[in-house]
Amino acid sequence: MDPLEMQHDSKKSNKPKYSKFTQQELPACKPLLTPAIVISTFLLVGILFVPIGLASLSASQEIVELVHRYDTSCVPSADKVGFIQDTKTDKSCTRTLTVPKHMKSPIQIYYQIGDFYQNHRRYVKSRSDKQLLYKDAAHLTKDCEPEVYGADGAPIVPCGLIAWSLFNDTYTISVNKKAIEVNKKDIAWQSDKNKKFGSDVYPRNFQNGNLIGGAKLNESIPLSEQEDLIVWMRTAALPTFRKLYGRIETDIMENDQLTVVIQNNYNTYSFGGSKALVLSTTSWIGGKNNFIGVAYLSVGGFCLFLALLFLVLYMIKPRYNVLFQSDADAFPIILDLS
């Protein structure tokens, strides 16, 4: 075959195939943003968002929240780290709080920790999800460094830094010198209890090393029923976070005196963290959060302002739109004749 013909055939075979996608000839929908459509859209968004914002803000304002920071007042010693690490020292601390408004049950009890970065990459990875779920996976500790093996060389269940640093402060609450029960049932997500923690997996060798990180676990109770652990293992995204401790199932009246006996065991002093006790009622939006209401009101108000502005501009200087059809393509052409 002639070399010229071979070169011609080669160039012909390398030529890309015709495609409507590459030639941008696919059917397309192009909205016509007329003044009526734009004004109606902004008006609709504003009418929807403003009532939602008002309802959210009203619900948030009705929530009664009591926050008391105790990490500084419950450490009498100047050497805070030495005090909290001394296992022989009594760390009980009694605080008296006054309820500002009537708190309807159920009242949520949270512990709040500040400057604790649970979202740190090494901390988040230091766990074994298979070990938490399956009885025969106790040896799967590859990702649990440095809390992998106990003093006897056997695997720790549950292993990893997250479980090792389990929060261990406790609260005993009395109202007007009358003790009330704190319900600690159903404080964890049901999906976590059923799908992430095994009902036949029990703690082993936990907190048996030389350095104790936090709370200990009852070895006769399966992990699926250790709800304090399940709540703690759902790591927080921000350095200041709250986790559910329990619930009070009775109402607390305005000006009632709350006496809280705190066992101040958890060490946040080594890294400059903070601890606080939070008592809060709830509503249909959850806890106290003004941001949602303010955000809806801001967006809705801004949309109503734009709708009014465009309406005034359209009335002062209207646009006369004439629609033509081009011979070259099927797209409409809008001419502004104002």
Side-chain angles (χ1 to χ4, degrees):
M1 181 182 290
D2 188 358
L4 293 177
E5 292 182 1
M6 293 179 62
Q7 185 177 4
H8 177 73
D9 292 341
S10 177
K11 290 182 178 180
K12 187 176 180 180
S13 62
N14 292 332
K15 184 178 179 180
K17 295 182 179 180
Y18 172 79
S19 170
K20 287 187 176 182
F21 176 77
T22 58
Q23 298 301 319
Q24 300 183 13
E25 294 179 357
L26 291 174
C29 179
K30 187 176 182 181
L32 301 177
L33 298 179
T34 63
I37 294 176
V38 172
I39 294 173
S40 300
T41 302
F42 279 125
L43 192 62
L44 179 62
V45 173
I47 291 174
L48 289 176
F49 274 40
V50 169
I52 295 175
L54 290 173
S56 301
L57 201 58
S58 175
S60 179
Q61 293 297 326
E62 292 177 357
I63 294 172
V64 182
E65 186 177 87
L66 190 61
V67 182
H68 178 71
R69 179 175 175 178
Y70 63 88
D71 60 292
T72 54
S73 57
C74 286
V75 182
S77 174
D79 183 12
K80 297 179 180 180
V81 177
F83 172 84
I84 206 71
Q85 290 180 345
D86 189 354
T87 57
K88 299 179 180 179
T89 304
D90 181 20
K91 301 180 179 65
S92 63
C93 174
T94 303
R95 313 300 300 167
T96 302
L97 313 174
T98 302
V99 179
K101 293 182 181 180
H102 176 215
M103 302 182 74
K104 296 181 180 179
S105 63
I107 302 169
Q108 314 294 326
I109 304 174
Y110 302 93
Y111 54 87
Q112 176 176 298
I113 303 179
D115 293 327
F116 190 126
Y117 291 84
Q118 275 198 318
N119 60 350
H120 191 282
R121 182 180 61 85
R122 286 190 62 190
Y123 185 86
V124 172
K125 291 178 62 179
S126 185
R127 62 185 293 166
S128 175
D129 291 327
K130 291 184 178 180
Q131 186 198 66
L132 296 172
L133 186 59
Y134 302 111
K135 180 180 180 180
D136 299 331
H139 63 286
L140 299 178
T141 59
K142 181 180 66 174
D143 298 327
C144 290
E145 292 290 346
E147 295 299 319
V148 180
Y149 300 107
D152 57 355
I156 298 173
V157 180
C159 66
L161 284 174
I162 304 177
W164 174 79
S165 60
L166 176 61
F167 186 78
N168 62 342
D169 283 6
T170 60
Y171 311 112
T172 304
I173 301 177
S174 302
V175 179
N176 297 328
K177 298 183 179 181
K178 182 180 178 181
I180 58 175
E181 182 182 359
V182 176
N183 183 10
K184 296 179 69 67
K185 294 291 184 181
D186 298 325
I187 61 174
W189 291 15
Q190 197 65 33
S191 59
D192 287 354
K193 294 169 62 176
N194 296 337
K195 298 181 180 180
K196 292 187 176 182
F197 293 83
S199 59
D200 57 350
V201 181
Y202 293 83
R204 284 184 294 175
N205 296 321
F206 189 71
Q207 303 289 18
N208 287 340
N210 296 325
L211 185 61
I212 305 300
K216 295 186 177 182
L217 298 176
N218 190 335
E219 295 190 356
S220 63
I221 301 176
L223 295 184
S224 61
E225 297 180 16
Q226 307 258 11
E227 297 200 44
D228 285 327
L229 173 69
I230 298 173
V231 170
W232 180 259
M233 294 292 287
R234 181 168 283 277
T235 53
L238 300 176
T240 299
F241 56 86
R242 296 177 181 179
K243 291 184 182 291
L244 189 60
Y245 178 83
R247 296 185 183 90
I248 298 175
E249 303 292 348
T250 58
D251 290 4
I252 301 178
M253 307 307 294
E254 184 178 357
N255 296 324
D256 278 354
Q257 296 295 313
L258 286 181
T259 303
V260 185
V261 179
I262 303 170
Q263 289 295 330
N264 185 27
N265 300 316
Y266 199 69
N267 184 10
T268 58
Y269 306 99
S270 298
F271 56 88
S274 62
K275 294 186 291 185
L277 171 66
V278 181
L279 278 75
S280 175
T281 59
T282 56
S283 68
W284 59 271
I285 63 168
K288 192 176 186 64
N289 187 356
N290 293 332
F291 174 78
I292 297 176
V294 172
Y296 270 101
L297 281 176
S298 300
V299 174
F302 185 64
C303 288
L304 289 177
F305 169 75
L306 290 179
L308 181 61
L309 177 63
F310 289 158
L311 180 61
V312 171
L313 292 176
Y314 181 69
M315 293 177 65
I316 295 175
K317 189 178 180 182
R319 296 179 62 194
Y320 299 95
N321 296 328
V322 181
L323 187 65
F324 291 92
Q325 190 73 24
S326 171
D327 295 335
D329 51 40
F331 292 102
I333 299 175
I334 297 179
L335 298 182
D336 188 358
L337 302 181
S338 58

